[in-house]
Every structure is written in structure tokens, then in C-alpha cells.
Amino acid sequence: MPGAIYAEGLVKTFGDVRALDGVDFDVPEGTVLGLLGPNGAGKTTAVRCLTTLLRPDRGKAIVAGIDVLKNPNEVRRSIGLSGQFAAVDEYLTGRENLQMVGRLYQMKAKDAKVRAGELLEQFNLADAADRPAKTYSGGMRRRLDLAAALVVSPPVMFMDEPTTGLDPRNRQQLWEVIKRLVSGGTTLLLTTQYLEEADHLAHDICVVDHGRVIARGTSDQLKARTGGERVEVVVHEREHIATASEVLRGFGKGETTVEEHTRKLTMPVTGGAKLLAEVIRELDTRGIEIDDIGLRRPTLDDVFISLTGHLAETEAEENGGVQDAKGRKTKAKQEPVQDKDKDKDKAKKEAAS
């Protein structure tokens, strides 16, 4: 039996650009799947196909036991969606926005009012509940949008980079909200650019690049694929970077990563604390003063570098770099669909039909 979210061979092209190139994944009920990848990798396109905002060219998609292509209206009644951009009515108050969503989902007026009050408290918006949304800060709008996605407590949730624009305190609060949702049985597909977020929340992680799933597993499994540990050294003087890099190469089993602005060097190693002591002795022998040194396990950043050859976010991908149907690097074309905010509003209204 497929899980609460199931995708098989999803393909979506826009002209010569192949945004999805046979994506497969299965999300068991009551779990979180973190969908990670650079901008242009296909994460948002996958979400939009699964939430009926786009129709895939090929493939199969099942959400909450419902075929997405055959019964899109039924799918919309069973999901919540928070897209990359806050889709709120600026001229309504926060309370009115939430009550409107409740009424669109055919809640009774009294129930919609009560639910709006609960969510305003939960997302720390109660003090601004009766102000027009156009007076909200970007972070407040983001929280209001997330609250709107939770009005009907859907069994399946899709969150596309939900904490973008939130400060650390509000990000932590949202993580607690997500944990409570999942503990109550909600299934969540989460795309994020914060690798720490996926590490913290996801039961399983899919790494997507150029429209394909290139790795799948738990955070620990993906880190184990990268292998070994990392020695990190921060040298006191910038002119010592080259010598310190030479020292690390003598102990490591790969290339040294250098961050010039922070004077930090990182090298994959094996040998644990004993090796760390040897590195310290050799640096001291060479007369290299250090501000900090430590041994750590691989991070999801290391996984990204190992699997894709680059970090999760790079300047090229910020500008829309994706792979075309022939495997060439190109700039993404504008998707021939409605504006994302309008798409989401349409989905909410159709859910009431």
C-alpha cells in the first residue's frame, strides 16, 4: 500500500526545461519527508503537482489515498498547503483572513471564529489579530499564511520552505507546531533551504537535483554515506591558511575546504580524538596559532557537497539554473501557470466546491 503521499515517475517539462525527470518517493502516514535541493532542482514543481496546482506530463501521484490526476477536488479537501510566498488578503485583518479560509472550507461561522482565535494565539498574532494584514511585517504575514494552511487540521500537509523570512525564535516555534501536528497523525512533505531544519524535523530526506531524486534516507544514513569525521581549524592569522591546509592534507583523506573570510579550514579524516591531538601538535610545531579546533560528524551540507558537488544554495541556482531535457545547464523559464498566490487562493476556493 502506498503511503499518505506517493509519487511514481513524475515528469514535468516547460519547453526545453525538464523540471521533474522521473521523481519517486513514498511518505508513510504520520511522518515528515524533507525534500532538499538547490533552487531549480524541482522541489516546488513536485509540490505543485502533488497539490493539483500543476498537472504532470507523466507519472502517478496519490495523496491521502486519492489519485491526484483523477480526483483533484477530493485531494484539495484533504490537504493543507503553505507555498513559498504568503497568500493573504492584505485588506482583511488577520482574524478575518483565517475566518474566511474556514468558511471556504464550509466550516460554520462560529467554528471558523473559534478556530481563527486558536491559531492567532498559537502563532503569536493575537495582539495584531484585528489589524489589516497589509500592516504586518514579512514574518507576521508568513505566520498568518501558515496558520491559514492549518485551519481545517488536514491529514496531509505540504510546506514549501515554510520558515523562510522567520527569525530564529519564530522558526523554533513553528518547529514545535510541526512536531505537534505530526505527533497527532498528520503527514508532512517539507521543502526547505535550511538543512538544520530537515535534520531537526524529517524522518526521511530526499535529495533532489536537476529534477531527479539522487539520494534517499534518514539524516544519519545520508551522513554515513559521506563517511568519516571532519576536523575544523580556525587559524589566528590569515597568512597561515596555506600552511595549515598543507598540515591537514597530511592527515586527511580528501580536499581541504577553506573559508577565507572566517579563516576556517575543514578536512575529512578518520581517527577520532587521537588524530585531533596529532593535528594540534603538528600545527604547534609549524608555529601556527589557532583560535579554534574541533572534530565533528558530517553535516547535511557535507552530504550536499558529496552528492551534488555544491552547497544547497549557490549563486547560479539563485538565478534559476536547472537542467534542460538534454542534460544541459540553462536558465529556468517562467512556468506557464498562474501566479503562486493566485494558485493557492484558487485551491482554497475549489476546496469548498
Side-chain angles (χ1 to χ4, degrees), residues 15 70 91 111 133 145 161 167 170 194 227 248 254 260 287 298 309 327:
K70 293 180 180 178
Y91 295 96
D111 293 338
D145 180 70
E161 300 188 7
D167 59 44
N170 284 316
Y194 299 114
L248 290 179
E260 293 277 351

Side-chain angles (χ1 to χ4, degrees), residues 53 87 338-347:
L53 297 177
Q338 297 179 359
D339 177 78
K340 293 179 181 176
D341 290 355
K342 291 180 181 179
D343 280 345
K344 185 178 174 186
D345 289 340
K346 178 183 176 183

Side-chain angles (χ1 to χ4, degrees), residues 227-232 244-257 266-272 275-276 278-279 282 295:
E229 300 160 308
R230 295 329 188 239
V231 167
E232 289 187 341
S245 180
E246 181 184 337
V247 170
L248 290 179
R249 280 197 297 272
F251 292 95
K253 57 172 188 175
E255 292 296 321
T256 305
T257 303
T266 305
M267 169 63 78
V269 297
T270 56
L275 179 137
L276 185 62
E278 293 175 3
V279 172
E282 183 63 21
L295 189 70

Side-chain angles (χ1 to χ4, degrees), residues 43-112:
K43 306 186 302 296
T44 296
T45 302
V47 168
R48 297 177 79 185
C49 287
L50 291 165
T51 56
T52 77
L53 297 177
L54 279 178
R55 186 177 181 88
D57 300 327
R58 293 199 303 275
K60 183 176 183 180
I62 296 174
V63 174
I66 306 165
D67 190 303
V68 174
L69 299 181
K70 293 180 180 178
N71 300 295
N73 286 336
E74 290 298 318
V75 171
R76 292 173 191 137
R77 293 188 180 98
S78 304
I79 65 172
L81 168 64
S82 176
Q84 284 190 7
F85 304 100
V88 299
D89 190 318
E90 294 188 343
Y91 295 96
L92 297 180
T93 67
R95 191 186 308 278
E96 289 168 343
N97 265 283
L98 298 183
Q99 290 181 207
M100 176 188 69
V101 173
R103 295 295 286 153
L104 286 172
Y105 276 99
Q106 300 180 346
M107 293 176 68
K108 294 180 179 179
K110 182 179 178 181
D111 293 338

Side-chain angles (χ1 to χ4, degrees), residues 14-240:
F14 302 102
D16 290 335
V17 178
R18 188 177 288 271
L20 297 179
D21 191 15
V23 168
D24 302 289
F25 52 74
D26 189 2
V27 190
E29 186 175 341
T31 66
V32 180
L33 175 68
L35 204 58
L36 303 185
N39 287 344
K43 306 186 302 296
T44 296
T45 302
V47 168
R48 297 177 79 185
C49 287
L50 291 165
T51 56
T52 77
L53 297 177
L54 279 178
R55 186 177 181 88
D57 300 327
R58 293 199 303 275
K60 183 176 183 180
I62 296 174
V63 174
I66 306 165
D67 190 303
V68 174
L69 299 181
K70 293 180 180 178
N71 300 295
N73 286 336
E74 290 298 318
V75 171
R76 292 173 191 137
R77 293 188 180 98
S78 304
I79 65 172
L81 168 64
S82 176
Q84 284 190 7
F85 304 100
V88 299
D89 190 318
E90 294 188 343
Y91 295 96
L92 297 180
T93 67
R95 191 186 308 278
E96 289 168 343
N97 265 283
L98 298 183
Q99 290 181 207
M100 176 188 69
V101 173
R103 295 295 286 153
L104 286 172
Y105 276 99
Q106 300 180 346
M107 293 176 68
K108 294 180 179 179
K110 182 179 178 181
D111 293 338
K113 183 176 180 180
V114 170
R115 182 61 176 155
E118 292 172 351
L119 289 167
L120 290 165
E121 289 287 347
Q122 189 174 7
F123 283 87
N124 294 317
L125 291 170
D127 291 342
D130 298 311
R131 282 168 37 197
K134 65 181 179 180
T135 68
Y136 285 16
S137 67
M140 292 171 69
R141 291 188 190 200
R142 192 67 179 133
R143 282 182 278 150
L144 181 61
D145 180 70
L146 292 167
L150 298 173
V151 165
V152 293
S153 301
V156 178
M157 276 288 301
F158 294 85
M159 292 188 175
D160 195 3
E161 300 188 7
T163 60
T164 299
L166 297 185
D167 59 44
R169 177 172 174 269
N170 284 316
R171 186 175 300 140
Q172 289 280 350
Q173 289 175 342
L174 179 60
W175 289 358
E176 293 305 315
V177 170
I178 290 173
K179 286 179 180 178
R180 287 197 296 270
L181 278 173
V182 176
S183 66
T186 298
T187 305
L188 173 63
L189 189 149
L190 169 76
T191 79
T192 179
Q193 61 179 316
Y194 299 114
L195 302 183
E196 177 194 5
E197 188 163 271
D199 218 351
H200 192 77
L201 295 173
H203 296 89
D204 271 331
I205 294 171
C206 272
V207 182
V208 181
D209 201 16
H210 302 318
R212 303 183 186 97
V213 175
I214 60 173
R216 170 79 187 261
T218 66
S219 177
D220 286 340
Q221 288 169 342
L222 292 177
K223 291 172 184 176
R225 282 185 58 171
T226 306
E229 300 160 308
R230 295 329 188 239
V231 167
E232 289 187 341
V233 178
V234 179
V235 299
H236 186 67
E237 299 291 344
R238 198 175 302 277
E239 55 264 30
H240 288 155

